[in-house]
Amino acid sequence: MKEGSPISARVVAAQEARDLWLSGRAPVLLFAFSLLVSAITYFTAIDQTLNFLEHKEAVNFTLQIAVGVGVLVTLVVSADGISGERERGTLECLLLTPVPRRSIVLGKLVAALSVWFGAFVVTVPYIWVLGNGISLVAGALVLALTVGTVLAAGLAAAGLLISSVSGSNKASLAISLFVLLALFAPTQLPGGLPRGWFFDVLTRANPVASGLHYVGLVLVGGHAWTRDLGYLVSPVVLLVLATAVLTGWSPRLVRLFPGVRAA
């Protein structure tokens, strides 16, 4: 097969997706995700009843949490992609197959994204309930799908990079979770980051914060989709750079460490 052949990448993606979903890993993660979104929706609905939150704010808040946690779940899956195979002793068998290493990482990336799309599907009925009676539900879902997919793909590629260079699976998961929490935490500060050019630069440099800020500007601020596209620069840059490094250096990244052999 040609290096990076779409056919071989599709074969790897299909196999990885089957392993994720049939082994129960993806369904368990999405079940936990659904419990969290259920709790958030319940308490947000109570606040709506007490007039603490308007419909737009309720939809925006729940949607941002759902996107953030959905991306987290995707990152957890991708962080296990290489280091997990290495520890379980299955990476050597994978490397012996006639599949280019670029196709291996692309296939794992696509499979990880299937979990994000599953999380999005779980989110849809909750947003529909919270947005009942207003016309922004369809637009909010399309917006979340667009921004969330860019964030999920970029962070999944970054997770695979971390996984490929980590000495253990625990280290890969810990580093990936730390990175995401560091990126996601500023979005949950009361009132967001302080105002000013310096904090605006920090927001724009943070792909998660800038992506979610863009969602808020459209949903709550009523801005046109094209007005604040500058906030999507860092998510797109993350996606392009992480994917380019992952695919360009795949022969060096997808490898056994010295002394590692299949169990």
Side-chain angles (χ1 to χ4, degrees):
M1 289 183 184
K2 286 185 178 182
E3 179 69 20
S5 165
I7 296 177
S8 56
R10 192 158 58 240
V11 170
V12 174
Q15 180 60 49
E16 290 290 326
R18 280 195 296 269
D19 289 344
L20 273 174
W21 291 92
L22 296 182
S23 68
R25 281 188 293 162
V28 167
L29 288 171
L30 290 186
F31 177 71
F33 173 81
S34 68
L35 292 179
L36 176 62
V37 178
S38 296
I40 292 170
T41 302
Y42 174 74
F43 289 113
T44 303
I46 290 178
D47 281 347
Q48 274 188 287
T49 303
L50 298 177
N51 296 320
F52 291 131
L53 287 175
E54 295 181 358
H55 272 80
K56 288 184 179 180
E57 293 173 338
V59 170
N60 178 58
F61 175 74
T62 305
L63 204 57
Q64 292 206 19
I65 295 294
V67 169
V69 178
V71 168
L72 167 63
V73 172
T74 307
L75 182 61
V76 167
V77 171
S78 65
D80 177 73
I82 306 298
S83 57
E85 295 254 23
R86 196 181 284 133
E87 283 198 358
R88 290 188 290 270
T90 56
L91 183 59
E92 185 174 17
C93 297
L94 183 60
L95 295 179
L96 292 175
T97 61
V99 177
R101 299 189 183 192
R102 184 175 300 162
S103 295
I104 292 175
V105 294
L106 287 175
K108 286 181 174 292
L109 178 61
V110 172
L113 282 176
S114 72
V115 181
W116 153 248
F117 290 118
F120 175 76
V121 170
V122 170
T123 304
V124 170
Y126 296 99
I127 300 302
W128 187 269
V129 169
L130 285 175
N132 185 32
I134 55 177
S135 59
L136 61 78
V137 172
L141 291 174
V142 172
L143 183 65
L145 179 61
T146 303
V147 176
T149 300
V150 173
L151 287 174
L155 287 170
L160 283 169
L161 282 173
I162 294 170
S163 181
S164 65
V165 300
S166 296
S168 70
N169 203 34
K170 288 182 179 179
S172 174
L173 291 170
I175 294 171
S176 298
L177 289 174
F178 175 79
V179 169
L180 182 62
L181 291 176
L183 294 175
F184 185 65
T187 68
Q188 299 308 304
L189 294 175
L193 288 173
R195 296 184 180 276
W197 69 267
F198 176 73
F199 293 104
D200 184 60
V201 170
L202 287 182
T203 298
R204 290 175 183 270
N206 180 335
V208 175
S210 59
L212 295 182
H213 185 67
Y214 173 79
V215 171
L217 289 174
V218 175
L219 291 184
V220 179
H223 294 191
W225 282 43
T226 55
R227 176 174 170 179
D228 302 291
L229 290 177
Y231 283 103
L232 296 183
V233 171
S234 58
V236 172
V237 168
L238 170 66
L239 172 60
V240 172
L241 286 182
T243 305
V245 173
L246 186 65
T247 55
W249 289 5
S250 54
R252 298 180 183 180
L253 296 173
V254 185
R255 60 185 177 85
L256 295 171
F257 286 163
V260 178
R261 293 290 181 269

